Amino acid sequence: MKKIIQARPCVDDSHLPSNLHPVIKQIYATRQVSHADELNNSAATLHDFRLFKDIDKATELLIWALQTQSKILIVGDFDADGATSTATLMHGLTMFGFAHLDYLIPDRFSLGYGLSPALAEQIVTIAPDLVITVDNGISCIAGIEIVKAAGIKVLVTDHHLQGEQLPDADAIVNPNRHDCDFPSKSIAGVGVAFYLLIALRSALRDLGHFEQQQPPNLAELLDIVALGTVADVVALDANNRTLVHQGLARIRSGNTRPGIIALIEVANRNAARLSASDFGFSLAPRLNAAGRLDDMSLGIACLLSADLNQARRIAGELDSLNHERREIEQGMQAEAQAVLDRLAFSSDTVPDAICLYQQDWHQGVIGILAGRLKEKYHRPTVIFAGGDNGEIKGSCRSIEGLHMRDLLERLNTLHPHLISKFGGHAMAAGLSINEQHFSEFKQAFEQAVTAQLSEEHKQCIILTDGELPADCFNMDFAQLIKQAGPWGQQFPEPVFEHTFEVVQQRIVGEKHLKLVLKHQSGRLVDAIAFGVDVKAWPDTEVRFVDVAYQLDINEFRGKFTLQLIVRELQKSP
């Protein structure tokens, strides 16, 4: 069972604006916001691009390419960050007057992640003058070596963690290379691509390039940057919050592109009231579905479309792929649960790590399955699916207290024959191993996790912002919370706790619990708990429940009502 614990303010809130609501001040303090300038989401507060290592080399490459109208190939990735990064550079470089632009996304199933040697061979036949990687490249040593040997210049933009060796590229712009001083280490790949364009504009301005023409308005790209930042589940530090805030503001005011309008429509969201969570739970899954099941070029085409009707057609295809992805995922979840049930462990006897392999599982969905099992059991999880030539591909998800990429690197050092390749972040990573090594990898992985995880880390704790004062339990305060965001990874939306009386309860949509709850003030409020155990709920014997919840505003046929999004529901003693 999850433990509901009230978080305590981490910093002194005395330097926050005095006109802030006291509850909002406390919410910020628990998220380590201590100064008013951390709440300033104006574009002027963004970190200086000059702090990126190699940014001068990168702009010199681009200026050379612009002056010579060289042939540029953007090499992206097959997830939403890769798609938005690719679209950002395609749109942005076009705004500067680059005429010979194209992009290439590796096929997830045959080529795998990044600028691999196999993809490099394709690039050599295309023969561009300059290759720009987005959301990949920092670990693509062999592939970049092949491209460089063919006389092609390479500019790497990435945000993944550096390994022991850097690729031999002409420039590497990555906040997570060891010698880079850019403060926001959690910036997404799309953010790095956006900063590259900012640096290019500045360099061209210094050269007098814009004396006869207006410089491009790069703020027009912030809708894509915001979507990719939230979709990649990077930490929303102050810099990332500014990028997301600015992008959301453009969308809400109607200043967005046809592809994002179409994604909002097909997801049945309201553009004027769009939130960061809508990016994460509604738009990004549809964009990601292309890369998971088909070809991410479809998602990029949606973002690049200049025609709304065309964008709507593509968004419809993405929506269909997302429905198909959900069906595949549900089947895989059922199969995985059957495996876990055969292992005879319950929520009280969960092993320290979960590592599963099934040859016919879909490579494009194993990451989602790993995430679902990690959420359900609160354990580091690796899911493998069958690949080619005896190699199987795995997707990893971690919990607080265990850095997944570092753990894989440690395993690779201790057992150099086990892992063919790996890469990723603290909370998510990918790897390939030989199928015959699965049992050995599973044992080594479980032992490594056990050695590192403490009993405290294994506890699934829901941190809350405490009891919400009765005079805040209303629509006005719910709106105040929405305005206080954007909320996201490591800057979570406020969660409150309270003991409610149950008035009504019923299952909707086969697995969601719809409730009418009575607050201590006497107010009745609707609540929805997603993905409950339908064997345990509804329970007509239960009169009171302890609830960890988020305040939400539900819109139905133009009518707005207060609603609670239930994060944890427990029968009250």
Side-chain angles (χ1 to χ4, degrees):
M1 180 178 288
K2 297 176 182 177
K3 294 178 69 174
I4 301 174
I5 297 177
Q6 180 180 352
R8 299 298 178 188
C10 301
V11 296
D12 177 14
D13 65 4
S14 62
H15 296 292
L16 293 177
S18 58
N19 61 345
L20 274 180
H21 191 290
V23 176
I24 298 294
K25 274 180 111 171
Q26 181 173 325
I27 288 167
Y28 282 141
T30 60
R31 287 149 184 79
Q32 301 187 51
V33 175
S34 58
H35 291 90
D37 55 5
E38 296 176 69
L39 303 176
N40 183 352
N41 289 323
S42 69
T45 65
L46 288 171
H47 294 318
D48 192 337
F49 67 84
R50 295 175 186 86
L51 296 172
F52 273 108
K53 179 74 173 178
D54 272 10
I55 198 69
D56 290 339
K57 289 182 182 179
T59 53
E60 287 170 9
L61 274 174
L62 290 175
I63 290 169
W64 162 80
L66 179 62
Q67 291 172 342
T68 58
Q69 281 300 334
S70 296
K71 186 178 176 183
I72 296 177
L73 182 68
I74 299 165
V75 176
D77 186 22
F78 38 66
D79 66 0
D81 189 18
T84 52
S85 302
T86 302
T88 294
L89 280 195
M90 288 293 292
H91 277 301
L93 293 177
T94 299
M95 292 162 71
F96 283 98
F98 288 82
H100 304 292
L101 294 170
D102 202 357
Y103 65 89
L104 181 63
I105 308 297
D107 179 79
R108 177 193 288 268
F109 310 105
S110 62
L111 295 173
Y113 167 80
L115 207 169
S116 62
L119 188 69
E121 299 291 354
Q122 289 186 22
I123 292 170
V124 170
T125 63
I126 297 170
D129 301 301
L130 171 64
V131 166
I132 306 175
T133 70
V134 290
D135 192 33
N136 76 96
I138 197 69
S139 62
C140 302
I141 312 293
I144 289 175
E145 186 177 343
I146 292 170
V147 173
K148 287 284 292 176
I152 301 167
K153 296 182 185 298
V154 178
L155 164 55
V156 168
T157 75
D158 199 354
H159 69 129
H160 292 92
L161 299 175
Q162 175 191 337
E164 292 183 7
Q165 180 184 353
L166 285 173
D168 183 26
D170 295 275
I172 302 172
V173 181
N174 182 339
N176 286 304
R177 57 181 291 180
H178 299 158
D179 54 357
C180 183
D181 294 328
F182 190 76
S184 179
K185 303 301 181 183
S186 59
I187 192 170
V190 67
V192 179
F194 180 66
Y195 264 91
L196 178 65
L197 296 171
I198 293 175
L200 175 61
R201 184 177 62 183
S202 177
L204 288 173
R205 184 182 284 119
D206 290 344
L207 293 173
H209 183 78
F210 300 118
E211 290 177 359
Q212 305 298 322
Q213 58 183 305
Q214 283 291 107
N217 180 12
L218 297 178
E220 294 177 4
L221 301 171
L222 283 166
D223 53 352
I224 308 180
V225 175
L227 171 57
T229 298
V230 175
D232 209 43
V233 203
V234 294
L236 286 194
D237 60 15
N239 204 67
N240 281 338
R241 290 200 301 276
T242 295
L243 292 172
V244 174
H245 171 87
Q246 291 291 327
L248 281 171
R250 293 191 67 83
I251 294 171
R252 290 168 182 162
S253 65
N255 294 317
T256 189
R257 66 201 63 254
I260 289 185
I261 292 172
L263 286 171
I264 292 170
E265 289 177 349
V266 79
N268 294 315
R269 301 291 97 187
N270 183 334
R273 300 180 64 245
L274 203 74
S275 68
S277 64
D278 291 324
F279 280 149
F281 294 109
S282 297
L283 275 64
R286 287 167 171 82
L287 197 57
N288 266 325
R292 293 190 184 283
L293 300 188
D294 191 17
D295 180 358
M296 185 43 98
S297 296
L298 188 66
I300 296 170
C302 184
L303 295 174
L304 294 180
S305 178
D307 178 76
L308 183 56
N309 288 326
Q310 180 194 45
R312 283 169 172 156
R313 287 194 295 273
I314 299 172
E317 293 182 55
L318 294 173
D319 190 50
S320 296
L321 284 171
N322 192 48
H323 282 293
E324 182 182 346
R325 185 271 305 166
R326 279 198 293 236
E327 291 175 0
I328 293 171
E329 178 202 336
Q330 287 169 3
M332 288 169 59
Q333 273 190 271
E335 291 171 355
Q337 191 60 55
V339 173
L340 297 177
D341 289 344
R342 286 199 298 274
L343 295 175
F345 73 78
S346 65
S347 58
D348 299 322
T349 59
V350 183
D352 290 344
I354 295 173
C355 183
L356 300 176
Y357 163 55
Q358 189 159 309
Q359 199 279 333
D360 61 350
W361 278 344
H362 198 292
Q363 288 180 24
V365 185
I366 54 175
I368 295 177
L369 178 59
R372 301 280 192 240
L373 293 179
K374 183 266 293 187
E375 288 296 324
K376 182 172 183 177
Y377 294 107
H378 194 67
R379 292 293 187 271
T381 300
V382 185
I383 302 295
F384 285 94
D388 299 319
N389 303 317
E391 188 175 72
I392 62 176
K393 297 182 180 181
S395 192
C396 320
R397 296 296 182 268
S398 193
I399 61 175
E400 290 295 332
L402 188 139
H403 193 297
M404 184 59 75
R405 189 200 173 279
D406 285 357
L407 182 136
L408 293 179
E409 189 164 37
R410 197 154 47 250
L411 285 178
N412 193 45
T413 301
L414 293 172
H415 311 278
H417 66 289
L418 270 187
I419 303 175
S420 306
K421 54 189 175 185
F422 69 94
H425 299 293
M427 304 306 288
L431 75 159
S432 297
I433 66 173
N434 192 293
E435 184 178 19
Q436 67 184 15
H437 292 149
F438 171 73
S439 295
E440 186 181 353
F441 172 85
K442 182 176 186 293
Q443 183 179 12
F445 176 73
E446 290 172 347
Q447 288 175 348
V449 171
T450 297
Q452 188 166 335
L453 273 191
S454 67
E455 289 303 315
E456 183 180 353
H457 287 135
K458 296 176 197 174
Q459 293 184 25
C460 188
I461 295 172
I462 294 182
L463 290 176
T464 78
D465 295 279
E467 282 265 358
L468 186 63
D471 61 351
C472 294
F473 196 75
N474 53 52
M475 292 262 289
D476 289 341
F477 191 77
Q479 187 59 41
L480 205 59
I481 288 174
K482 290 190 176 298
Q483 293 168 354
W487 309 103
Q489 185 73 6
Q490 294 187 30
F491 195 75
E493 186 170 343
V495 175
F496 304 101
E497 58 183 273
H498 189 69
T499 300
F500 292 90
E501 183 178 353
V502 179
V503 178
Q504 292 179 17
Q505 50 180 314
R506 61 189 174 92
I507 294 293
V508 296
E510 297 183 353
K511 56 183 179 180
H512 312 309
L513 183 65
K514 186 80 173 175
L515 298 145
V516 176
L517 302 175
K518 188 175 183 179
H519 190 262
Q520 65 180 18
S521 64
R523 176 169 187 163
L524 297 180
V525 63
D526 289 335
I528 182 78
F530 295 104
V532 298
D533 181 357
V534 294
K535 296 177 182 177
W537 298 97
D539 186 337
T540 55
E541 299 298 316
V542 173
R543 187 181 172 194
F544 291 94
V545 286
D546 297 327
V547 182
Y549 67 91
Q550 292 170 333
L551 273 186
D552 189 42
I553 299 174
N554 186 42
E555 179 185 357
F556 183 67
R557 294 179 178 173
K559 184 180 179 182
F560 297 91
T561 55
L562 190 68
Q563 176 181 255
L564 309 186
I565 305 296
V566 176
R567 294 305 176 206
E568 179 65 12
L569 180 71
Q570 296 175 2
K571 299 165 186 178
S572 185

